[in-house]
Amino acid sequence: MNSIDKLAELFQQFPGIGKRQARRFVYFLLHKDNGYIGQLLNEISAIKQQINQCQSCFRFYPKDTKIECPICIQHKESGHLMIVEKDADLENIHKTGLYDGKYFVLGGFIASHEKKRSYASVDQLLARIECDVQAKKIDELIFGLSISPEAEHTRLRLYSMIHEKYPDLVFSTLGRGLSTGTELEYSDTETLKYALGSRIKQN
Ligand SMILES: [Zn+2]
């Protein structure tokens, strides 16, 4: 395997990147000068050293001395915990300022096919909920997932798992101001405001 193939194979592991796009990235890099390549290499090697993963919500944030991120510290006393798929969804909801509860970044969905790999941090989520229940700092669990078959499958699986263990928790799902296929990451403030305000409770 030559260097082009090797690098393309690494790019292919990026989310949503296929074989052809991966090769386009490699050729793009071949056209760039050494300054750009050097900067890219520096940033890639710095990212693990400078960015922390919060041990409460599992989002990534610029490293400091604490083990929890500023959002977790600020909203520690809230009884609301929102489950989102990824960091970009959390950031989009957080920047609207409409939600002042806690978050948990799932990191992916539960695979609906046994053969597919599941990226969701289910064990970490269950541990987080147990911890919040013990501390009496949770009363509502909000599913803030995008609308897709995988997200729905994940929501139902999590709901049955968690509801069985904690029947007193209130469960809710963001209202359907979001249309099918909507990515939370790209939803505007008005849509999110409606989705939060019209969240559907189930129990
Ligand atoms: Zn956090």
Side-chain angles (χ1 to χ4, degrees):
M1 202 189 274
N2 65 37
S3 297
I4 293 178
D5 294 337
K6 279 189 209 160
L7 188 55
E9 216 175 75
L10 291 173
F11 282 135
Q12 235 183 295
Q13 293 176 27
F14 282 36
I17 298 301
K19 208 170 182 171
R20 213 178 304 168
Q21 280 164 307
R23 293 186 83 79
R24 274 177 62 193
F25 286 178
V26 176
Y27 288 113
F28 167 79
L29 289 175
L30 285 170
H31 284 289
K32 295 301 260 187
D33 60 27
N34 286 342
Y36 181 88
I37 303 283
Q39 204 185 349
L40 188 64
L41 289 175
N42 281 343
E43 292 305 328
I44 290 175
S45 50
I47 203 163
K48 279 283 190 186
Q49 275 136 36
Q50 291 172 7
I51 302 293
N52 241 0
Q53 189 168 29
C54 174
Q55 291 308 297
S56 286
C57 69
F58 287 84
R59 70 185 267 257
F60 292 102
Y61 69 103
K63 211 169 227 175
D64 56 24
T65 50
K66 304 178 187 78
I67 59 157
E68 281 183 322
C69 74
I71 297 179
C72 283
I73 291 171
Q74 192 187 349
H75 299 296
K76 221 177 178 56
E77 300 305 316
S78 168
H80 290 175
L81 180 66
M82 188 189 294
I83 302 172
V84 294
E85 181 207 346
K86 54 191 186 297
D87 285 68
D89 297 340
L90 183 155
E91 280 161 20
N92 197 23
I93 295 170
H94 187 68
K95 77 166 193 250
T96 65
L98 297 165
Y99 172 74
D100 58 4
K102 302 176 283 196
Y103 295 93
F104 184 88
V105 179
L106 205 51
F109 292 132
I110 299 174
S112 48
H113 255 273
E114 274 175 31
K115 281 183 192 154
K116 274 193 184 169
R117 199 177 148 193
S118 177
Y119 290 97
S121 313
V122 176
D123 293 342
Q124 289 89 334
L125 172 65
L126 297 176
R128 167 69 195 272
I129 294 171
E130 175 62 26
C131 191
D132 280 2
V133 167
Q134 291 294 333
K136 293 192 168 57
K137 279 177 186 161
I138 184 167
D139 45 46
E140 182 176 341
L141 196 68
I142 304 163
F143 289 102
L145 303 174
S146 298
I147 298 173
S148 68
E150 296 89 347
E152 190 57 9
H153 171 77
T154 302
R155 187 180 70 79
L156 293 172
R157 283 281 300 276
L158 290 176
Y159 172 73
S160 64
M161 255 183 251
I162 303 164
H163 182 253
E164 196 181 342
K165 214 166 165 206
Y166 308 104
D168 292 339
L169 276 187
V170 172
F171 291 80
S172 66
T173 303
L174 286 190
R176 299 306 180 199
L178 302 165
S179 51
T180 308
T182 302
E183 287 273 350
L184 270 191
E185 178 183 351
Y186 306 117
S187 296
D188 57 45
T189 306
E190 274 311 302
T191 309
L192 286 173
K193 190 176 182 177
Y194 178 78
L196 271 164
S198 64
R199 61 184 191 271
I200 303 151
K201 304 220 168 156
Q202 61 183 112
N203 270 71

